[in-house]
Amino acid sequence: MAELEGLEFGKSDFVLLDEVTMEQFMENLRLRFEKGRIYTYIGEVVVSVNPYRQMDIYGKDTIEAYRGRELYENPPHLYAVSDAAYKAMKRRAKDTCIVISGESGAGKTEASKYIMQYIAAITNPSQRAEVESVKNVLLKSNCVLEAFGNAKTNRNDNSSRFGKYMDINFNFNGDPTGGHINNYLLEKSRVVHQQEGERNFHSFYQLLRGGSEETLAAFHLQNDPAVYVYTKEGTSNNDRTSHKAVISALEVIGFSKEEINSIYQILASILLLGNLQFESDGESVQILGQEAVNQISELTATEPESVSKTLLYRTVATGGGEVIEKGHTEQQACFGRDAFAKALYERLFGWIVGRINTVIEVKDYNPVLHGKNTVIGVLDIYGFEIFDNNSFEQFCINYCNEKLQQLFIELILQQEQAEYQREGITWQHIDYFNNQIIVDLVEQPHKGIISILDEACLTVGNVTDTVCLDSMDTKLAQHPHYTSRKLSPSDKSMEFQKHFRIRHYAGDVTYSVEGILDKNKDLLFQDFKRLMYNSTNPVLKEMWPDGQLSITEVTKRPLTAATLFKNSIVALVDKLACKEPYYVRCIKPNEMKSPMLFDDARCQHQVAYLGLLENVMVRRAGFAYRQPYARFLQRYKMTCEYTWPNHLMASDREAVEAIVTQHGFQDDVAYGHTKLFVRTPRSLFTLEQERAALIPILVLFLQKVWRGALARMRCRRMRAIYAIMGCYKRYKVKAHFWEVERRFANVRNMADYGKSVEWPTPPAALAQFHKNTVMLHRRWWARQIVKKIPPSDMLEVRAKVAALTALSGERKDWGISRAWERDYLANCDLFLPLLSQVNRFNKSTDRSLLVTDKFVYKLEPKKQYKVMKRLPLDAFTGLSLTSGVDQMVVLHTSSEDDVLLCLQRGVLCPNQDRVGELVGALVDHFTRVRKVQFPVKVCRSAVQLHMRGKLKSVTVETKPGQAAADFKKSRDGFILLFPGN
């Protein structure tokens, strides 16, 4: 916690000072700087002192320590205010902005980089590729803009010579989806002139010192900046490294190789322009050295003649519409050259910013589909400047700081006090300096300095800088914040007809009027614009769209630089005013860039003009947090049993009072007409802690209720589904019954009793029922067929059915087509076929077989069927036969040798098969009469039988044309050769 810092580090919040005096403020600021504590709070404002050294307080561990924490939960840090702005944006879906202000060299640029790094580090936890790409472009854009927009000054080695405001767009998840960069007032005069000890923009030195030999040769350059007029002042040790980083950043952002090459071609052409020299012979002006013109022509993809003509002549349209060419004087040619160089660089910088914006801007955003798009703005703009020689650029920069200070006053001091008065809160008014009078001095229509400058620029005739100064002295003589040597003759710090002074909120600044009108005008001749528009380089052509106008079409004078800047700053302030602001106030501890020196007088001056002491007084006397009752109740009602989930009190104010009373904050709040005011952040932090602890419980409760609702919905849906399924199943069953009934309605009258009728496919639920129904129909069909058979034929039918069942389709022909006489001898009960018996001595004899219901008799047909052997029918356990057309049968017995027989096919019909009749008679008798099974085995090759206690195997082969049976003994038993058909 910030309050837990040791007393040896001073007070981490200036609001906690014992007395609010400048002495105590400065003593606390000095102590913290000397102890390495460069950040201090004023409520939610962060005061940052430039340490002029690298500090190990920006790593991943520090980022994690500040992620998601409240402002006063950790020691003061840039990350704390960054996280506060991010949380406000994400929690309340409100646009926020971080305004970084301070003098040049106070550390604004570094602060903006750390803020960007923190926001990039805490977003996109799921590492989505498209979000990472946006973050990379946003971070890399800093590197590019620093190279082309920053320069070394006497106060700062990396001074921003332009103003930058970046909007970062976030989706409803809090992940960056894009952004937009606005740039303000690039100090283009630095391209052609720098004060002693300062440098041109970094990009020139990075190209000259970091470019490869091949690149420099292609651009007609040398690697020594001192060779060129525009870069005579010094180099830097890290120019080479920075050049590689910039090239890499341009590639990451999405610049093509051709575009990157065009950028550095333009830089090279500017350097070569600066070395152009002119000479006059009294009548005309010539360029010294045509080679330089050819090189510039090559780099800008234009014609050498066009380049020379544009530098030496100006095309003018007369009143009658005639177009003439006017030659320049040597001075005019030099001035035009420098104006062209400045314009080239300014257009290049604007094109680079625009190109970055095309990559990072949010495209095709639909709030309905993607949720609310919120914004965090980061403003890094030049600080207040007081140089030995202050010109037009310092005037604009200091005006910008006046506007930002006025915004700070309105938002932090004026609006806050007005709100206390409006809400009826007891309040002791605090006086503060309102710099609106200075803002009006600069921008007031018809009376302000910008209006006077514009009027002088628009006046026809020879209006000089001195005439313009006289006009300001006349119109502003009575203004308390304006003076000049003419108005104050005794003030020798100013010169007559050269200086005027403005008493800014940050101090008195003396400005020189020399060249101020030329800088305010757009003095670039239209010839230069047409020259660049006609270039075959598409990048250059894109930078100069106004060059397509002919000389006769250019009639309206463009807005002056001061007016354009004023309009952009007014738009910027309006943009900031509609966002919730967070401030970083940067202080420069000394002019020596020393990490040890704390210049008390220098720092006290900055504290005074930044209004920090007044800010402390307002924060100390006021309230750190205020919120309408309804919104406060909506956010914290879950922390009180009387307000959750909804209160039953007369008003929201009473409900808020119940919350405050339950937490014991009565002495730390004030009740306004529409809002609750909380004095210290500690009370708010306690509420946030309790709310954060309750949120998971409430989320779990909501999840439980919602899951129950989902389960009930699913249950009702399933019940409906089952009801529909039940109805459908019943319908399918009934439909099946109706279809069966329709198809089989007339089967009694059919010739085949419905055997040919196709059964409908049953539903799955009736599969078993269908099988049973089919079986019943078959039984009924069989019954109908059997009913037509005479009783005298029933025994034959039963025998055939028994044979059919026993043979199971294994034997193709088994005599089913002939009539089975059964009784082949009168008065025999069952079956008497003729057969041949072959014994083990290879002798074949004719025999008859008589099967009765008790015995099996072997008869001698030649001896009037004399009984030769009788075997009980119970002794037989089954029979075996082959699947062929032979008539061989083996009768298996339980105790005797098996009987091997070959049945004769019949006298009248030699092809009659009698095996089936024998099988049918025996199986029918055993199963129907004796109620036992009589197994029948159909063998495809060898038939097994027992003879003399040994297992024998008999194979039957039929050979056409063989007349008699031939028996051969083998080790496997007997082989029976029987004649075939």
Side-chain angles (χ1 to χ4, degrees):
M1 309 295 290
E3 291 85 349
L4 298 181
E5 281 189 340
L7 293 177
E8 68 272 16
F9 299 115
K11 302 291 178 62
S12 61
D13 193 329
F14 287 113
V15 176
L16 302 176
L17 291 175
D18 297 331
E19 294 182 18
V20 184
T21 62
M22 180 61 78
E23 290 75 16
Q24 286 211 10
F25 190 101
M26 294 305 301
E27 183 180 348
N28 189 62
L29 188 66
R30 184 193 308 107
L31 176 61
R32 291 184 64 78
F33 174 76
E34 291 172 351
K35 295 291 185 180
R37 298 297 194 270
I38 63 172
Y39 299 120
T40 314
Y41 287 138
I42 303 177
E44 293 183 350
V45 175
V46 175
V47 179
S48 170
V49 183
N50 192 341
Y52 287 118
R53 58 190 171 95
Q54 293 294 327
M55 301 190 70
D56 188 21
I57 56 173
Y58 306 104
K60 292 183 179 179
D61 294 340
T62 309
I63 290 174
E64 289 302 317
Y66 283 85
R67 181 199 295 264
R69 302 292 185 178
E70 295 303 323
L71 197 65
Y72 282 85
E73 198 172 351
N74 284 308
H77 201 289
L78 279 176
Y79 291 166
V81 73
S82 305
D83 196 80
Y86 179 74
K87 284 204 299 282
M89 179 275 299
K90 191 174 181 181
R91 284 177 178 174
R92 303 197 295 273
K94 187 171 183 179
D95 293 344
T96 61
C97 64
I98 301 174
V99 180
I100 309 169
S101 58
E103 282 192 7
S104 177
K108 300 185 300 299
T109 300
E110 290 299 309
S112 69
K113 288 195 288 188
Y114 287 130
I115 289 170
M116 290 288 294
Q117 288 173 6
Y118 180 81
I119 292 174
I122 65 172
T123 53
N124 194 31
S126 58
Q127 297 295 304
R128 290 189 297 139
E130 62 273 19
V131 178
E132 285 299 306
S133 175
V134 170
K135 286 163 52 175
N136 286 337
V137 172
L138 290 173
L139 291 175
K140 293 296 184 182
S141 65
N142 281 330
C143 173
V144 174
L145 295 180
E146 276 190 24
F148 289 87
N150 289 20
K152 177 184 180 298
T153 67
N154 291 323
R155 294 189 172 190
N156 186 359
D157 289 343
N158 188 33
S159 177
S160 297
R161 306 320 299 164
F162 73 106
K164 180 182 72 173
Y165 174 74
M166 177 183 289
D167 267 334
I168 309 172
N169 298 88
F170 295 84
N171 60 16
F172 68 99
N173 282 330
D175 292 330
T177 58
H180 184 84
I181 299 172
N182 293 95
N183 66 294
Y184 303 94
L185 192 67
L186 178 74
E187 190 189 17
K188 60 181 179 180
S189 61
R190 181 170 293 272
V191 173
V192 300
H193 174 73
Q194 307 93 40
Q195 295 192 37
E196 186 177 352
E198 297 187 352
R199 293 203 321 171
N200 207 329
F201 291 98
H202 295 325
S203 55
F204 292 106
Y205 303 94
Q206 291 172 1
L207 170 62
L208 294 174
R209 304 298 291 176
S212 64
E213 293 183 3
E214 295 79 7
T215 301
L216 294 178
F219 292 164
H220 311 292
L221 297 177
Q222 302 177 38
N223 65 352
D224 184 6
V227 172
Y228 303 97
V229 174
Y230 291 161
T231 57
K232 284 184 177 179
E233 296 291 339
T235 60
S236 173
N237 292 331
N238 60 353
D239 284 331
R240 290 184 177 87
T241 305
S242 298
H243 182 67
K244 293 179 181 178
V246 172
I247 295 293
S248 175
L250 288 169
E251 292 174 349
V252 170
I253 292 171
F255 285 81
S256 66
K257 291 184 177 180
E258 292 75 14
E259 290 173 332
I260 296 174
N261 190 62
S262 296
I263 290 171
Y264 287 103
Q265 280 180 332
I266 294 171
L267 291 181
S269 62
I270 293 173
L271 291 173
L272 294 174
L273 269 173
N275 282 15
L276 281 181
Q277 295 182 359
F278 303 91
E279 65 175 359
S280 174
D281 57 3
E283 295 183 359
S284 61
V285 177
Q286 301 296 327
I287 300 173
L288 291 178
Q290 185 62 31
E291 183 182 0
V293 174
N294 294 336
Q295 293 171 351
I296 294 170
S297 170
E298 177 187 337
L299 292 171
T300 57
T302 54
E303 295 296 330
E305 296 79 6
S306 300
V307 174
S308 298
K309 185 177 180 181
T310 304
L311 288 169
L312 297 175
Y313 297 92
R314 178 187 176 190
T315 307
V316 181
T318 63
E322 184 182 357
V323 178
I324 61 174
E325 291 182 351
K326 293 179 61 178
H328 289 314
T329 64
E330 186 176 346
Q331 182 181 4
Q332 288 175 335
C334 292
F335 187 83
R337 174 202 63 197
D338 290 346
F340 183 36
K342 291 187 291 185
L344 269 176
Y345 195 82
E346 184 182 37
R347 297 280 179 120
L348 172 63
F349 186 78
W351 179 82
I352 291 173
V353 174
R355 183 71 175 77
I356 294 173
N357 283 334
T358 60
V359 176
I360 63 176
E361 281 180 339
V362 180
K363 302 175 181 66
D364 302 326
Y365 189 86
N366 187 343
V368 177
L369 297 177
H370 306 108
K372 181 173 173 58
N373 184 359
T374 48
V375 168
I376 293 180
V378 179
L379 176 65
D380 172 21
I381 204 161
Y382 12 60
F384 198 87
E385 293 185 344
I386 306 176
F387 295 147
D388 295 334
N389 180 28
N390 301 290
S391 186
F392 178 76
E393 291 79 15
Q394 282 67 46
F395 169 76
C396 293
I397 288 171
N398 293 341
Y399 159 66
C400 170
N401 279 269
E402 291 282 0
K403 288 290 288 184
L404 294 176
Q405 177 67 8
Q406 178 63 20
L407 176 67
F408 176 76
I409 290 171
E410 289 180 354
L411 294 178
I412 300 299
L413 304 177
Q414 182 176 322
Q415 287 185 8
E416 186 153 346
Q417 297 193 77
E419 185 174 34
Y420 294 149
Q421 184 177 1
R422 186 171 57 251
E423 288 288 330
I425 301 297
T426 303
W427 172 259
Q428 183 179 359
H429 183 78
I430 296 173
D431 292 328
Y432 57 87
F433 173 69
N434 190 337
N435 68 334
Q436 183 63 48
I437 187 173
I438 304 176
V439 173
D440 291 339
L441 168 65
V442 176
E443 70 176 16
Q444 189 174 16
H446 310 299
K447 296 180 181 180
I449 294 177
I450 291 179
S451 295
I452 296 173
L453 289 175
D454 287 354
E455 183 180 348
C457 291
L458 296 174
T459 301
V460 179
N462 187 20
V463 180
T464 63
D465 299 328
T466 304
V467 173
C468 179
L469 178 60
D470 290 338
S471 178
M472 286 193 290
D473 289 342
T474 302
K475 294 182 178 181
L476 303 174
Q478 304 303 317
H479 200 286
H481 289 270
Y482 175 87
T483 188
S484 67
R485 183 67 185 272
K486 181 179 179 180
L487 300 177
S488 301
S490 61
D491 189 350
K492 296 183 179 180
S493 62
M494 294 182 289
E495 296 182 19
F496 285 105
Q497 297 184 343
K498 181 178 180 181
H499 292 142
F500 68 93
R501 179 176 295 158
I502 297 177
R503 296 187 179 91
H504 288 283
Y505 77 98
D508 295 350
V509 182
T510 302
Y511 298 100
S512 171
V513 297
E514 289 183 350
I516 196 169
L517 291 182
D518 290 338
K519 292 179 179 179
N520 190 37
K521 295 177 183 177
D522 182 9
L523 289 177
L524 186 69
F525 300 135
Q526 186 68 15
D527 302 74
F528 290 108
K529 299 176 183 179
R530 285 195 292 271
L531 174 68
M532 292 297 97
Y533 180 76
N534 292 322
S535 169
T536 56
N537 186 324
V539 174
L540 269 171
K541 189 179 184 70
E542 184 182 346
M543 291 180 190
W544 300 82
D546 46 349
Q548 62 183 317
L549 302 175
S550 67
I551 186 63
T552 56
E553 292 178 289
V554 184
T555 56
K556 187 178 179 181
R557 186 184 294 269
L559 294 176
T560 62
T563 298
L564 289 172
F565 182 68
K566 182 192 73 172
N567 294 341
S568 63
I569 294 301
V570 170
L572 171 65
V573 170
D574 292 341
K575 186 179 294 186
L576 295 175
C578 66
K579 295 177 172 60
E580 183 174 321
Y582 292 83
Y583 284 91
V584 178
R585 311 293 259 173
C586 298
I587 292 179
K588 186 176 183 179
N590 59 76
E591 294 289 349
M592 309 301 294
K593 304 175 187 176
S594 168
M596 304 298 294
L597 181 61
F598 186 88
D599 188 336
D600 196 84
R602 190 78 183 82
C603 294
Q604 184 172 328
H605 174 69
Q606 296 173 72
V607 169
Y609 75 68
L610 288 173
L612 299 184
L613 204 61
E614 291 87 347
N615 192 5
V616 174
M617 293 178 183
V618 172
R619 285 290 179 182
R620 189 181 177 100
F623 298 87
Y625 177 81
R626 74 288 317 270
Q627 194 69 268
Y629 292 122
R631 291 190 63 179
F632 184 91
L633 180 64
Q634 181 66 28
R635 185 163 185 81
Y636 300 112
K637 64 180 181 178
M638 73 282 295
T639 65
C640 178
E641 57 182 323
Y642 303 110
T643 57
W644 178 259
N646 294 300
H647 69 88
L648 300 176
M649 302 174 194
S651 65
D652 287 346
R653 173 172 174 166
E654 293 183 19
V656 170
E657 288 179 3
I659 296 174
V660 171
T661 302
Q662 177 164 322
H663 291 87
F665 299 153
Q666 299 93 319
D667 298 333
D668 199 43
V669 301
Y671 298 97
H673 298 313
T674 63
K675 294 181 179 180
L676 175 73
F677 291 79
V678 182
R679 189 175 301 278
T680 64
R682 170 59 51 208
S683 300
L684 190 66
F685 176 56
T686 304
L687 282 173
E688 283 290 338
Q689 274 188 319
E690 186 165 346
R691 180 181 181 274
L694 288 172
I695 287 294
I697 300 173
L698 297 179
V699 169
L700 189 62
F701 172 76
L702 293 175
Q703 287 177 340
K704 179 177 68 175
V705 172
W706 179 237
R707 285 170 182 161
L710 289 177
R712 286 188 288 274
M713 285 191 290
R714 283 195 294 266
C715 182
R716 287 194 292 269
R717 191 179 297 113
M718 291 300 294
R719 285 176 178 172
I721 290 171
Y722 284 133
I724 294 172
M725 288 172 60
C727 293
Y728 184 70
K729 285 179 179 179
R730 288 192 291 273
Y731 163 76
K732 292 292 287 184
V733 168
K734 291 178 181 178
H736 181 71
F737 289 159
W738 295 333
E739 182 63 18
V740 171
E741 182 181 6
R742 184 186 67 80
R743 294 189 183 189
F744 288 87
N746 196 36
V747 292
R748 288 183 180 275
N749 301 324
M750 292 182 181
D752 60 354
Y753 296 104
K755 185 179 181 181
S756 60
V757 175
E758 184 179 357
W759 285 82
T761 303
L766 293 180
Q768 186 60 40
F769 176 79
H770 177 71
K771 292 173 64 176
N772 296 339
T773 307
V774 172
M775 184 180 66
L776 288 173
H777 174 259
R778 288 177 178 173
R779 283 184 169 182
W780 176 82
W781 173 81
R783 180 64 179 166
Q784 299 304 313
I785 299 299
V786 169
K787 282 168 60 177
K788 295 181 178 181
I789 300 174
S792 58
D793 295 339
M794 284 305 297
L795 290 176
E796 180 185 355
V797 171
R798 286 195 181 101
K800 287 185 176 181
V801 170
L804 177 65
T805 305
L807 295 175
S808 302
E810 293 289 335
R811 193 174 175 91
K812 183 177 180 181
D813 184 15
W814 46 276
I816 189 174
S817 59
R818 70 175 180 83
W820 290 358
E821 298 180 20
R822 293 179 57 82
D823 190 358
Y824 290 88
L825 291 177
N827 300 324
C828 288
D829 292 331
L830 290 177
F831 178 43
L832 181 63
L834 296 177
L835 52 87
S836 296
Q837 183 179 11
V838 181
N839 61 18
R840 61 192 181 91
F841 300 107
N842 204 20
K843 293 182 66 177
S844 175
T845 55
D846 292 334
R847 294 289 186 266
S848 290
L849 189 69
L850 176 61
V851 184
T852 67
D853 57 353
K854 293 182 180 181
F855 298 97
V856 174
Y857 297 92
K858 184 170 66 175
L859 306 178
E860 173 62 71
K862 295 181 179 180
K863 295 181 180 182
Q864 298 178 349
Y865 296 100
K866 176 183 177 181
V867 177
M868 298 184 65
K869 190 172 183 179
R870 183 183 71 177
L871 294 173
L873 195 59
D874 294 339
F876 291 93
T877 59
L879 64 83
S880 296
L881 69 159
T882 66
S883 59
V885 296
D886 59 87
Q887 298 290 295
M888 185 180 73
V889 178
V890 176
L891 295 175
H892 301 289
T893 62
S894 58
S895 58
E896 303 288 338
D897 289 342
D898 292 345
V899 180
L900 177 60
L901 305 172
C902 287
L903 304 182
Q904 294 183 5
R905 290 183 177 273
V907 179
L908 299 177
C909 184
N911 293 328
Q912 286 183 346
D913 190 294
R914 295 179 176 274
V915 171
E917 189 174 358
L918 176 60
V919 172
L922 291 174
V923 173
D924 177 58
H925 176 75
F926 274 88
T927 55
R928 185 170 55 84
V929 177
R930 294 179 177 271
K931 308 297 184 185
V932 295
Q933 294 295 323
F934 189 75
V936 176
K937 184 176 182 181
V938 181
C939 303
R940 293 188 177 275
S941 55
V943 180
Q944 304 291 330
L945 70 155
H946 283 82
M947 297 186 82
R948 301 297 181 179
K950 294 183 179 180
L951 181 64
K952 304 294 182 179
S953 178
V954 179
T955 302
V956 179
E957 296 180 3
T958 57
K959 296 181 179 179
Q962 187 170 339
D966 183 15
F967 296 92
K968 294 183 180 179
K969 189 174 182 180
S970 70
R971 61 179 181 177
D972 294 326
F974 294 93
I975 298 178
L976 177 63
L977 300 177
F978 193 80
N981 297 324

